[in-house]
């Protein structure tokens, strides 16, 4: 059964050093963070029906199958907003992310404020889709 949470829940996909940096950059949001570095970890979250509002997913993954992760994320219900981060972005990458159902692409390096803004905008996009599960933390 899907759990309800009154705080923003952000899933960061990446290696430990990436996870630590994102947690530091997003600390001011007072969000709950979940981290995965392997598809099997993400599969466990899907099986547990974890409620996740925003997923931050790298465009370039080492040792991970990007599409397998993307497909696992799409199994979450309700489906979270997907932000893809990258060192360089092209129109092709950006349009591919949007066409696949992602929310946006953010280009590194980004400031704490830029990352926080992107995560909050992604979360608010869910509110625009009238998903009541996400309203509590957005009104704060």
């Amino acid at each position: 059964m899907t759990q309800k949470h009154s705080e923003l829940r952000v899933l960061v996909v990446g290696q430990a050093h990436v996870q630590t940096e994102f947690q530091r950059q997003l600390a001011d949001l007072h969000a709950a963070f979940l981290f995965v570095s392997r598809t099997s970890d993400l599969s466990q979250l899907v099986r547990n029906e974890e409620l996740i509002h925003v997923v931050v997913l790298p465009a370039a993954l080492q040792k991970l199958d990007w599409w397998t992760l993307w497909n696992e994320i799409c199994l979450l219900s309700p489906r979270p907003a997907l932000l893809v981060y990258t060192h360089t972005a092209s129109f092709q990458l950006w349009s591919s992310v949007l066409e696949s159902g992602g929310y946006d692409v953010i280009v590194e390096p980004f400031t704490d404020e830029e990352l926080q803004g992107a995560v909050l905008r992604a979360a608010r996009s869910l509110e625009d889709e009238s998903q009541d599960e996400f309203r509590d933390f957005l009104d704060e």
Side-chain angles (χ1 to χ4, degrees):
M1 175 177 283
T2 302
Q3 306 164 17
K4 285 192 87 166
H5 297 275
S6 61
E7 65 186 340
L8 177 60
R9 295 175 53 82
V10 179
L11 171 66
V12 177
V13 178
Q15 300 304 317
H17 70 282
V18 171
Q19 295 171 2
T20 301
E21 183 61 18
F22 273 79
Q23 188 168 16
R24 183 197 64 74
Q25 287 189 284
L26 295 170
D28 289 346
L29 296 181
H30 304 288
F33 296 99
L34 300 155
F35 300 102
V36 297
S37 57
R38 299 184 317 251
T39 304
S40 60
D41 296 336
L42 184 57
S43 296
Q44 185 62 42
L45 292 176
V46 171
R47 281 192 300 277
N48 291 344
E49 298 183 21
E50 287 286 340
L51 175 63
I52 299 169
H53 303 113
V54 178
V55 175
V56 184
L57 180 69
L61 293 172
Q62 297 177 6
K63 300 180 183 177
L64 292 175
D65 179 7
W66 199 89
W67 284 107
T68 300
L69 281 172
W70 186 276
N71 290 332
E72 286 286 332
I73 290 165
C74 290
L75 294 174
L76 292 167
S77 181
R79 185 169 167 211
L82 295 138
L83 282 176
V84 175
Y85 64 95
T86 183
H87 288 291
T88 58
S90 64
F91 179 77
Q92 181 181 6
L93 173 63
W94 183 75
S95 61
S96 294
V97 167
L98 295 181
E99 288 172 6
S100 299
Y103 176 73
D104 203 358
V105 174
I106 52 177
V107 180
E108 298 177 288
F110 30 76
T111 65
D112 298 356
E113 293 78 17
E114 290 169 332
L115 180 57
Q116 291 169 19
V119 168
L120 287 174
R121 285 189 301 277
R124 286 190 179 106
S125 75
L126 299 172
E127 182 180 51
D128 294 342
E129 295 174 9
S130 300
Q131 294 183 9
D132 295 330
E133 294 88 351
F134 302 130
R135 292 186 190 277
D136 293 339
F137 68 86
L138 292 173
D139 292 333
E140 295 177 355

